[in-house]
Amino acid sequence: MSKIFTMVSLPGAGKGTLCSQLSKNIECISAGELLREEINKESHIGKKVKDIVAKGLLVPVDYIIEILFKNMQDKSKIYILDGFPRNLEQALKFDEILLQSNDKLNNAIYLKMDEKLLNERIFGRQICPQCNLSYHKTLLPPIKENICDKCNVALIQRKDDNEEVLKRRIDVFNKETIPLIDFYRERGILKEIDASQELEEKVKILNKILKGD
Ligand code: AMP
């Protein structure tokens, strides 16, 4: 049986950065990143979701399930699903799928951040168009300005990291994801990590959660 975790947060809280610090047997799968890949490939799903993602709204759950679960076939791995589920509807579908494959959700991890910090986090964010690694102009800068340390290509800003779309993504989080967090809290499987701590500290806490301590 795989060990399965999910991680949710406001946009820009640093889920991607945290995931990039974990060891190799832990696989972080970002729903948003998979969607962006489909959009870049102009695949069947990519074409359907492009406008929805550009607006900062949630795409239909069946598309997410289709692209997510083909990446989760190794039973010896620890998986962290970054950004899935995002609401109660998705959580209930997820439960059904896990039940069918005899798996269970170990913990839901909430990377908790004050909404006031969000603008600084989001507008300084840069990603590598090739490997998807996340950087931040001041908080986590690359060695060479605007260049990916790993791929040596120019970093870009995400199209949905702009003021108007960000407002909508925060709205979606408050309306859809907060009830999901409450649902996992009531189930007794919610773990919270304060996003304002140093990265090293957050990695330590996350690794403890993943080990089940
Ligand atoms: P993220 O990279 O997590 O910020 O997600 C970027 C965008 O992808 C979101 O604003 C949504 O449009 C879409 N998205 C990501 N995860 C999901 C999900 N679980 N359900 C629906 N849409 C999603």
Side-chain angles (χ1 to χ4, degrees), residues 35-62:
L35 288 169
R36 284 187 287 280
E37 269 171 35
E38 295 294 319
I39 294 168
N40 289 342
K41 280 193 290 190
E42 299 186 355
S43 70
H44 157 72
I45 290 186
K47 284 182 188 155
K48 299 248 185 216
V49 302
K50 186 175 177 189
D51 289 345
I52 307 174
V53 173
K55 286 185 190 141
L57 298 171
L58 295 185
V59 313
V61 61
D62 291 340

PDB file of all heavy atoms in Angstrom, residues 35-62:
ATOM      1  N   LEU A  35      -1.703  20.280 -14.821  1.00  0.00           N
ATOM      2  CA  LEU A  35      -2.625  20.993 -15.716  1.00  0.00           C
ATOM      3  C   LEU A  35      -1.854  21.933 -16.638  1.00  0.00           C
ATOM      4  O   LEU A  35      -2.122  21.993 -17.843  1.00  0.00           O
ATOM      5  CB  LEU A  35      -3.646  21.790 -14.897  1.00  0.00           C
ATOM      6  CG  LEU A  35      -4.718  20.961 -14.183  1.00  0.00           C
ATOM      7  CD1 LEU A  35      -5.507  21.818 -13.201  1.00  0.00           C
ATOM      8  CD2 LEU A  35      -5.679  20.328 -15.187  1.00  0.00           C
ATOM      9  N   ARG A  36      -0.856  22.634 -16.075  1.00  0.00           N
ATOM     10  CA  ARG A  36      -0.067  23.554 -16.920  1.00  0.00           C
ATOM     11  C   ARG A  36       0.687  22.785 -18.005  1.00  0.00           C
ATOM     12  O   ARG A  36       0.814  23.240 -19.139  1.00  0.00           O
ATOM     13  CB  ARG A  36       0.902  24.385 -16.057  1.00  0.00           C
ATOM     14  CG  ARG A  36       0.211  25.507 -15.296  1.00  0.00           C
ATOM     15  CD  ARG A  36       1.183  26.422 -14.590  1.00  0.00           C
ATOM     16  NE  ARG A  36       1.793  25.819 -13.417  1.00  0.00           N
ATOM     17  CZ  ARG A  36       1.207  25.730 -12.220  1.00  0.00           C
ATOM     18  NH1 ARG A  36      -0.001  26.183 -12.044  1.00  0.00           N
ATOM     19  NH2 ARG A  36       1.832  25.162 -11.207  1.00  0.00           N
ATOM     20  N   GLU A  37       1.149  21.574 -17.665  1.00  0.00           N
ATOM     21  CA  GLU A  37       1.833  20.751 -18.674  1.00  0.00           C
ATOM     22  C   GLU A  37       0.871  20.381 -19.808  1.00  0.00           C
ATOM     23  O   GLU A  37       1.226  20.435 -20.981  1.00  0.00           O
ATOM     24  CB  GLU A  37       2.336  19.451 -18.025  1.00  0.00           C
ATOM     25  CG  GLU A  37       3.752  19.575 -17.481  1.00  0.00           C
ATOM     26  CD  GLU A  37       4.147  18.350 -16.662  1.00  0.00           C
ATOM     27  OE1 GLU A  37       3.720  17.223 -17.013  1.00  0.00           O
ATOM     28  OE2 GLU A  37       4.849  18.546 -15.670  1.00  0.00           O
ATOM     29  N   GLU A  38      -0.354  19.982 -19.428  1.00  0.00           N
ATOM     30  CA  GLU A  38      -1.358  19.626 -20.444  1.00  0.00           C
ATOM     31  C   GLU A  38      -1.666  20.835 -21.340  1.00  0.00           C
ATOM     32  O   GLU A  38      -1.824  20.705 -22.548  1.00  0.00           O
ATOM     33  CB  GLU A  38      -2.659  19.142 -19.781  1.00  0.00           C
ATOM     34  CG  GLU A  38      -2.536  17.862 -18.989  1.00  0.00           C
ATOM     35  CD  GLU A  38      -2.225  16.639 -19.832  1.00  0.00           C
ATOM     36  OE1 GLU A  38      -2.793  16.499 -20.932  1.00  0.00           O
ATOM     37  OE2 GLU A  38      -1.396  15.812 -19.392  1.00  0.00           O
ATOM     38  N   ILE A  39      -1.732  22.022 -20.703  1.00  0.00           N
ATOM     39  CA  ILE A  39      -2.029  23.248 -21.470  1.00  0.00           C
ATOM     40  C   ILE A  39      -0.878  23.532 -22.445  1.00  0.00           C
ATOM     41  O   ILE A  39      -1.096  23.802 -23.625  1.00  0.00           O
ATOM     42  CB  ILE A  39      -2.267  24.442 -20.521  1.00  0.00           C
ATOM     43  CG1 ILE A  39      -3.544  24.201 -19.716  1.00  0.00           C
ATOM     44  CG2 ILE A  39      -2.337  25.764 -21.286  1.00  0.00           C
ATOM     45  CD1 ILE A  39      -3.764  25.149 -18.544  1.00  0.00           C
ATOM     46  N   ASN A  40       0.363  23.397 -21.957  1.00  0.00           N
ATOM     47  CA  ASN A  40       1.522  23.652 -22.837  1.00  0.00           C
ATOM     48  C   ASN A  40       1.592  22.670 -23.989  1.00  0.00           C
ATOM     49  O   ASN A  40       1.982  23.023 -25.094  1.00  0.00           O
ATOM     50  CB  ASN A  40       2.834  23.579 -22.039  1.00  0.00           C
ATOM     51  CG  ASN A  40       2.969  24.771 -21.117  1.00  0.00           C
ATOM     52  OD1 ASN A  40       2.293  25.783 -21.301  1.00  0.00           O
ATOM     53  ND2 ASN A  40       3.815  24.651 -20.104  1.00  0.00           N
ATOM     54  N   LYS A  41       1.200  21.406 -23.722  1.00  0.00           N
ATOM     55  CA  LYS A  41       1.230  20.376 -24.782  1.00  0.00           C
ATOM     56  C   LYS A  41       0.073  20.543 -25.764  1.00  0.00           C
ATOM     57  O   LYS A  41      -0.004  19.843 -26.759  1.00  0.00           O
ATOM     58  CB  LYS A  41       1.074  18.980 -24.148  1.00  0.00           C
ATOM     59  CG  LYS A  41       2.350  18.413 -23.538  1.00  0.00           C
ATOM     60  CD  LYS A  41       2.203  16.921 -23.230  1.00  0.00           C
ATOM     61  CE  LYS A  41       1.264  16.674 -22.090  1.00  0.00           C
ATOM     62  NZ  LYS A  41       1.172  15.361 -21.517  1.00  0.00           N
ATOM     63  N   GLU A  42      -0.892  21.398 -25.390  1.00  0.00           N
ATOM     64  CA  GLU A  42      -2.132  21.565 -26.154  1.00  0.00           C
ATOM     65  C   GLU A  42      -2.844  20.237 -26.346  1.00  0.00           C
ATOM     66  O   GLU A  42      -3.349  19.915 -27.433  1.00  0.00           O
ATOM     67  CB  GLU A  42      -1.857  22.259 -27.498  1.00  0.00           C
ATOM     68  CG  GLU A  42      -1.265  23.642 -27.305  1.00  0.00           C
ATOM     69  CD  GLU A  42      -1.121  24.409 -28.609  1.00  0.00           C
ATOM     70  OE1 GLU A  42      -1.381  23.855 -29.673  1.00  0.00           O
ATOM     71  OE2 GLU A  42      -0.740  25.599 -28.514  1.00  0.00           O
ATOM     72  N   SER A  43      -2.849  19.416 -25.295  1.00  0.00           N
ATOM     73  CA  SER A  43      -3.523  18.111 -25.347  1.00  0.00           C
ATOM     74  C   SER A  43      -5.032  18.321 -25.302  1.00  0.00           C
ATOM     75  O   SER A  43      -5.508  19.435 -25.053  1.00  0.00           O
ATOM     76  CB  SER A  43      -3.096  17.268 -24.145  1.00  0.00           C
ATOM     77  OG  SER A  43      -3.662  17.823 -22.966  1.00  0.00           O
ATOM     78  N   HIS A  44      -5.752  17.226 -25.454  1.00  0.00           N
ATOM     79  CA  HIS A  44      -7.216  17.241 -25.392  1.00  0.00           C
ATOM     80  C   HIS A  44      -7.672  17.904 -24.070  1.00  0.00           C
ATOM     81  O   HIS A  44      -8.469  18.851 -24.067  1.00  0.00           O
ATOM     82  CB  HIS A  44      -7.678  15.783 -25.507  1.00  0.00           C
ATOM     83  CG  HIS A  44      -9.021  15.494 -24.962  1.00  0.00           C
ATOM     84  ND1 HIS A  44     -10.159  15.925 -25.593  1.00  0.00           N
ATOM     85  CD2 HIS A  44      -9.419  14.841 -23.840  1.00  0.00           C
ATOM     86  CE1 HIS A  44     -11.204  15.531 -24.881  1.00  0.00           C
ATOM     87  NE2 HIS A  44     -10.777  14.884 -23.817  1.00  0.00           N
ATOM     88  N   ILE A  45      -7.105  17.451 -22.952  1.00  0.00           N
ATOM     89  CA  ILE A  45      -7.485  18.033 -21.658  1.00  0.00           C
ATOM     90  C   ILE A  45      -6.986  19.477 -21.562  1.00  0.00           C
ATOM     91  O   ILE A  45      -7.704  20.370 -21.121  1.00  0.00           O
ATOM     92  CB  ILE A  45      -6.929  17.179 -20.486  1.00  0.00           C
ATOM     93  CG1 ILE A  45      -7.670  15.851 -20.420  1.00  0.00           C
ATOM     94  CG2 ILE A  45      -7.032  17.933 -19.162  1.00  0.00           C
ATOM     95  CD1 ILE A  45      -7.331  14.969 -19.249  1.00  0.00           C
ATOM     96  N   GLY A  46      -5.755  19.702 -22.028  1.00  0.00           N
ATOM     97  CA  GLY A  46      -5.165  21.040 -21.969  1.00  0.00           C
ATOM     98  C   GLY A  46      -6.061  22.083 -22.614  1.00  0.00           C
ATOM     99  O   GLY A  46      -6.267  23.174 -22.068  1.00  0.00           O
ATOM    100  N   LYS A  47      -6.617  21.729 -23.791  1.00  0.00           N
ATOM    101  CA  LYS A  47      -7.481  22.686 -24.505  1.00  0.00           C
ATOM    102  C   LYS A  47      -8.748  22.970 -23.709  1.00  0.00           C
ATOM    103  O   LYS A  47      -9.250  24.084 -23.691  1.00  0.00           O
ATOM    104  CB  LYS A  47      -7.852  22.123 -25.874  1.00  0.00           C
ATOM    105  CG  LYS A  47      -6.694  22.221 -26.850  1.00  0.00           C
ATOM    106  CD  LYS A  47      -7.113  21.706 -28.198  1.00  0.00           C
ATOM    107  CE  LYS A  47      -5.898  21.630 -29.107  1.00  0.00           C
ATOM    108  NZ  LYS A  47      -6.056  20.660 -30.167  1.00  0.00           N
ATOM    109  N   LYS A  48      -9.281  21.929 -23.050  1.00  0.00           N
ATOM    110  CA  LYS A  48     -10.533  22.100 -22.286  1.00  0.00           C
ATOM    111  C   LYS A  48     -10.330  22.973 -21.048  1.00  0.00           C
ATOM    112  O   LYS A  48     -11.247  23.667 -20.630  1.00  0.00           O
ATOM    113  CB  LYS A  48     -11.052  20.733 -21.809  1.00  0.00           C
ATOM    114  CG  LYS A  48     -11.365  19.789 -22.930  1.00  0.00           C
ATOM    115  CD  LYS A  48     -12.850  19.553 -22.984  1.00  0.00           C
ATOM    116  CE  LYS A  48     -13.142  18.507 -24.022  1.00  0.00           C
ATOM    117  NZ  LYS A  48     -14.330  18.699 -24.762  1.00  0.00           N
ATOM    118  N   VAL A  49      -9.145  22.874 -20.415  1.00  0.00           N
ATOM    119  CA  VAL A  49      -8.982  23.551 -19.113  1.00  0.00           C
ATOM    120  C   VAL A  49      -8.287  24.911 -19.206  1.00  0.00           C
ATOM    121  O   VAL A  49      -8.278  25.660 -18.231  1.00  0.00           O
ATOM    122  CB  VAL A  49      -8.212  22.657 -18.096  1.00  0.00           C
ATOM    123  CG1 VAL A  49      -8.929  21.325 -17.886  1.00  0.00           C
ATOM    124  CG2 VAL A  49      -6.766  22.434 -18.502  1.00  0.00           C
ATOM    125  N   LYS A  50      -7.717  25.215 -20.370  1.00  0.00           N
ATOM    126  CA  LYS A  50      -6.892  26.423 -20.504  1.00  0.00           C
ATOM    127  C   LYS A  50      -7.578  27.690 -19.961  1.00  0.00           C
ATOM    128  O   LYS A  50      -7.021  28.410 -19.121  1.00  0.00           O
ATOM    129  CB  LYS A  50      -6.537  26.604 -21.988  1.00  0.00           C
ATOM    130  CG  LYS A  50      -5.577  27.718 -22.236  1.00  0.00           C
ATOM    131  CD  LYS A  50      -5.174  27.750 -23.685  1.00  0.00           C
ATOM    132  CE  LYS A  50      -4.266  28.954 -23.864  1.00  0.00           C
ATOM    133  NZ  LYS A  50      -3.961  29.221 -25.234  1.00  0.00           N
ATOM    134  N   ASP A  51      -8.808  27.948 -20.420  1.00  0.00           N
ATOM    135  CA  ASP A  51      -9.489  29.188 -20.022  1.00  0.00           C
ATOM    136  C   ASP A  51      -9.870  29.176 -18.545  1.00  0.00           C
ATOM    137  O   ASP A  51      -9.852  30.208 -17.882  1.00  0.00           O
ATOM    138  CB  ASP A  51     -10.754  29.400 -20.863  1.00  0.00           C
ATOM    139  CG  ASP A  51     -10.383  29.757 -22.296  1.00  0.00           C
ATOM    140  OD1 ASP A  51      -9.207  30.109 -22.522  1.00  0.00           O
ATOM    141  OD2 ASP A  51     -11.255  29.657 -23.176  1.00  0.00           O
ATOM    142  N   ILE A  52     -10.201  27.985 -18.047  1.00  0.00           N
ATOM    143  CA  ILE A  52     -10.624  27.878 -16.638  1.00  0.00           C
ATOM    144  C   ILE A  52      -9.433  28.197 -15.736  1.00  0.00           C
ATOM    145  O   ILE A  52      -9.543  28.964 -14.779  1.00  0.00           O
ATOM    146  CB  ILE A  52     -11.163  26.448 -16.329  1.00  0.00           C
ATOM    147  CG1 ILE A  52     -12.262  26.056 -17.320  1.00  0.00           C
ATOM    148  CG2 ILE A  52     -11.667  26.363 -14.894  1.00  0.00           C
ATOM    149  CD1 ILE A  52     -12.759  24.627 -17.190  1.00  0.00           C
ATOM    150  N   VAL A  53      -8.270  27.627 -16.055  1.00  0.00           N
ATOM    151  CA  VAL A  53      -7.068  27.880 -15.244  1.00  0.00           C
ATOM    152  C   VAL A  53      -6.668  29.352 -15.350  1.00  0.00           C
ATOM    153  O   VAL A  53      -6.322  29.986 -14.345  1.00  0.00           O
ATOM    154  CB  VAL A  53      -5.909  26.948 -15.671  1.00  0.00           C
ATOM    155  CG1 VAL A  53      -4.614  27.329 -14.965  1.00  0.00           C
ATOM    156  CG2 VAL A  53      -6.252  25.484 -15.377  1.00  0.00           C
ATOM    157  N   ALA A  54      -6.783  29.918 -16.551  1.00  0.00           N
ATOM    158  CA  ALA A  54      -6.416  31.330 -16.744  1.00  0.00           C
ATOM    159  C   ALA A  54      -7.280  32.239 -15.874  1.00  0.00           C
ATOM    160  O   ALA A  54      -6.843  33.294 -15.444  1.00  0.00           O
ATOM    161  CB  ALA A  54      -6.549  31.708 -18.215  1.00  0.00           C
ATOM    162  N   LYS A  55      -8.527  31.798 -15.604  1.00  0.00           N
ATOM    163  CA  LYS A  55      -9.426  32.623 -14.788  1.00  0.00           C
ATOM    164  C   LYS A  55      -9.257  32.349 -13.295  1.00  0.00           C
ATOM    165  O   LYS A  55      -9.860  33.007 -12.462  1.00  0.00           O
ATOM    166  CB  LYS A  55     -10.876  32.321 -15.160  1.00  0.00           C
ATOM    167  CG  LYS A  55     -11.292  32.900 -16.493  1.00  0.00           C
ATOM    168  CD  LYS A  55     -12.774  32.636 -16.701  1.00  0.00           C
ATOM    169  CE  LYS A  55     -13.184  32.984 -18.106  1.00  0.00           C
ATOM    170  NZ  LYS A  55     -14.138  32.060 -18.673  1.00  0.00           N
ATOM    171  N   GLY A  56      -8.498  31.323 -12.949  1.00  0.00           N
ATOM    172  CA  GLY A  56      -8.293  31.001 -11.526  1.00  0.00           C
ATOM    173  C   GLY A  56      -9.429  30.197 -10.921  1.00  0.00           C
ATOM    174  O   GLY A  56      -9.570  30.123  -9.706  1.00  0.00           O
ATOM    175  N   LEU A  57     -10.244  29.555 -11.784  1.00  0.00           N
ATOM    176  CA  LEU A  57     -11.359  28.745 -11.278  1.00  0.00           C
ATOM    177  C   LEU A  57     -10.958  27.268 -11.227  1.00  0.00           C
ATOM    178  O   LEU A  57      -9.939  26.876 -11.829  1.00  0.00           O
ATOM    179  CB  LEU A  57     -12.576  28.927 -12.198  1.00  0.00           C
ATOM    180  CG  LEU A  57     -13.111  30.361 -12.268  1.00  0.00           C
ATOM    181  CD1 LEU A  57     -14.163  30.503 -13.364  1.00  0.00           C
ATOM    182  CD2 LEU A  57     -13.692  30.765 -10.917  1.00  0.00           C
ATOM    183  N   LEU A  58     -11.765  26.450 -10.559  1.00  0.00           N
ATOM    184  CA  LEU A  58     -11.430  25.023 -10.477  1.00  0.00           C
ATOM    185  C   LEU A  58     -11.899  24.295 -11.734  1.00  0.00           C
ATOM    186  O   LEU A  58     -13.025  24.508 -12.197  1.00  0.00           O
ATOM    187  CB  LEU A  58     -12.092  24.386  -9.245  1.00  0.00           C
ATOM    188  CG  LEU A  58     -11.626  24.890  -7.886  1.00  0.00           C
ATOM    189  CD1 LEU A  58     -12.273  24.080  -6.764  1.00  0.00           C
ATOM    190  CD2 LEU A  58     -10.104  24.822  -7.757  1.00  0.00           C
ATOM    191  N   VAL A  59     -11.089  23.425 -12.260  1.00  0.00           N
ATOM    192  CA  VAL A  59     -11.453  22.660 -13.450  1.00  0.00           C
ATOM    193  C   VAL A  59     -12.268  21.435 -13.003  1.00  0.00           C
ATOM    194  O   VAL A  59     -12.172  21.025 -11.849  1.00  0.00           O
ATOM    195  CB  VAL A  59     -10.207  22.236 -14.282  1.00  0.00           C
ATOM    196  CG1 VAL A  59      -9.256  23.385 -14.476  1.00  0.00           C
ATOM    197  CG2 VAL A  59      -9.467  21.093 -13.630  1.00  0.00           C
ATOM    198  N   PRO A  60     -13.084  20.845 -13.899  1.00  0.00           N
ATOM    199  CA  PRO A  60     -13.894  19.691 -13.489  1.00  0.00           C
ATOM    200  C   PRO A  60     -13.023  18.551 -12.955  1.00  0.00           C
ATOM    201  O   PRO A  60     -11.959  18.262 -13.497  1.00  0.00           O
ATOM    202  CB  PRO A  60     -14.602  19.282 -14.793  1.00  0.00           C
ATOM    203  CG  PRO A  60     -14.619  20.520 -15.624  1.00  0.00           C
ATOM    204  CD  PRO A  60     -13.363  21.256 -15.287  1.00  0.00           C
ATOM    205  N   VAL A  61     -13.518  17.943 -11.890  1.00  0.00           N
ATOM    206  CA  VAL A  61     -12.717  16.960 -11.151  1.00  0.00           C
ATOM    207  C   VAL A  61     -12.269  15.763 -12.017  1.00  0.00           C
ATOM    208  O   VAL A  61     -11.187  15.224 -11.817  1.00  0.00           O
ATOM    209  CB  VAL A  61     -13.481  16.499  -9.875  1.00  0.00           C
ATOM    210  CG1 VAL A  61     -14.795  15.838 -10.210  1.00  0.00           C
ATOM    211  CG2 VAL A  61     -12.616  15.602  -9.020  1.00  0.00           C
ATOM    212  N   ASP A  62     -13.094  15.371 -12.989  1.00  0.00           N
ATOM    213  CA  ASP A  62     -12.730  14.190 -13.785  1.00  0.00           C
ATOM    214  C   ASP A  62     -11.431  14.387 -14.560  1.00  0.00           C
ATOM    215  O   ASP A  62     -10.663  13.451 -14.747  1.00  0.00           O
ATOM    216  CB  ASP A  62     -13.871  13.809 -14.741  1.00  0.00           C
ATOM    217  CG  ASP A  62     -15.057  13.269 -13.953  1.00  0.00           C
ATOM    218  OD1 ASP A  62     -14.845  12.852 -12.792  1.00  0.00           O
ATOM    219  OD2 ASP A  62     -16.183  13.300 -14.466  1.00  0.00           O
TER     220      ASP A  62
END
